[in-house]
């Protein structure tokens, strides 16, 4: 009950901020790169249920088609490239400040995500899961979590992300969510591990 109440309160605050920022961010995205303002993708949440997330677009419009041309610098089931050429100029700012994630407050409000949880995986990742990876999906995915406050984009080993997600599940407590939210704010302001 505490966690859901925190999610509702936090998502309403986040959506209020989004309402203020949406138009200026939309203009900046459109002026910087042709294509839609928002990017949507199917992710997998609690017990493997698919849901659609929305982000402010931080890459060129045909980024998915160009993915095969970019070297994967990560280990395991995730894809990372520190200098990904598909990221736009405005996109780098959005990512370093986590502003690209703000539309996901809607997913939190309707209960598909939580403010704090595990990193929501893509279908490509889930299709290659081994048995121990499925434990990650025993809680709702979060806007933030252990991965985000312990390196963000600098964590490039999928098994390390899995370990962080399972650690969150093992030591969850209402006050721990508040601690991780506070840590997230610090990490964003200090740009720790930002891409």
């Amino acid at each position: 009950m505490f966690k859901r109440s925190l999610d509702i309160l936090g998502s309403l605050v986040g959506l209020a901020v989004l309402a203020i920022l949406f138009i200026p961010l939309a203009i900046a995205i459109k002026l910087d790169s042709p294509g839609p303002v928002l990017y949507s993708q199917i992710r997998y949440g609690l017990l493997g249920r698919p849901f659609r997330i929305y982000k402010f677009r931080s890459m060129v419009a045909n980024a998915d088609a160009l993915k095969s041309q970019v070297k994967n610098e990560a280990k395991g089931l995730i894809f990372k490239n520190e200098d990904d050429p598909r990221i736009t100029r405005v996109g780098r700012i959005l990512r370093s400040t986590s502003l690209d994630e703000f539309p996901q407050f809607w997913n939190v409000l309707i209960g598909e995500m939580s403010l704090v949880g595990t990193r929501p995986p893509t279908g490509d990742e889930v299709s290659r899961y081994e048995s121990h990876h499925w434990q990650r999906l025993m809680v709702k995915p979060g806007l933030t979590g252990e991965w985000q406050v312990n390196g963000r984009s600098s964590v490039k080993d999928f098994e390390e992300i899995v370990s962080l997600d399972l650690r969150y599940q093992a030591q969850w407590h209402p006050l721990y969510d508040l601690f991780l939210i506070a840590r997230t704010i610090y990490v964003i302001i200090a740009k720790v591990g930002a891409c």
Side-chain angles (χ1 to χ4, degrees):
M1 185 179 293
F2 173 88
K3 189 171 180 64
R4 183 60 186 146
S5 298
L6 182 64
D7 285 347
I8 292 172
L9 178 61
S11 62
L12 289 174
V13 172
L15 289 171
V17 174
L18 175 62
I20 297 169
L21 296 177
F22 191 91
I23 292 178
L25 289 180
I27 292 172
I29 291 167
K30 294 292 282 186
L31 290 176
D32 184 48
S33 170
V37 170
L38 296 177
Y39 170 78
S40 71
Q41 187 179 47
I42 297 296
R43 296 290 183 99
Y44 289 79
L46 181 65
L47 303 179
R49 296 189 191 108
F51 68 99
R52 184 173 294 277
I53 64 167
Y54 290 90
K55 296 183 176 187
F56 282 116
R57 182 172 58 84
S58 61
M59 290 186 169
V60 294
N62 61 336
D64 289 336
L66 297 174
K67 184 177 179 180
S68 62
Q69 301 175 26
V70 180
K71 181 183 178 183
N72 186 8
E73 298 175 345
K75 180 181 178 183
L77 304 186
I78 57 170
F79 186 93
K80 294 285 178 185
N81 184 293
E82 191 171 331
D83 296 310
D84 195 324
R86 300 173 299 163
I87 302 175
T88 64
R89 290 172 298 176
V90 169
R92 292 202 179 275
I93 297 171
L94 293 175
R95 287 178 169 222
S96 67
T97 57
S98 292
L99 288 172
D100 61 321
E101 309 281 355
F102 265 64
Q104 291 173 53
F105 278 112
W106 173 252
N107 296 104
V108 176
L109 181 62
I110 64 176
E112 294 172 331
M113 293 180 66
S114 179
L115 290 178
V116 184
T118 57
R119 178 184 163 276
T122 64
D124 180 56
E125 292 171 35
V126 172
S127 68
R128 295 181 290 158
Y129 268 10
E130 297 177 15
S131 57
H132 68 285
H133 297 146
W134 290 99
Q135 180 65 32
R136 306 179 64 237
L137 303 182
M138 296 304 291
V139 300
K140 286 182 184 179
L143 275 177
T144 189
E146 290 280 358
W147 172 68
Q148 288 87 341
V149 303
N150 287 288
R152 294 170 78 188
S153 293
S154 65
V155 180
K156 296 181 179 179
D157 186 335
F158 178 69
E159 294 299 335
E160 185 176 348
I161 292 173
V162 172
S163 295
L164 289 169
D165 285 343
L166 298 186
R167 185 173 79 181
Y168 168 74
Q169 293 182 34
Q171 62 187 34
W172 181 82
H173 184 277
L175 293 180
Y176 193 58
D177 273 7
L178 293 175
F179 167 76
L180 288 176
I181 290 170
R183 280 280 300 166
T184 300
I185 294 170
Y186 164 75
V187 163
I188 290 172
I189 292 174
K191 297 186 178 180
V192 177
C195 65

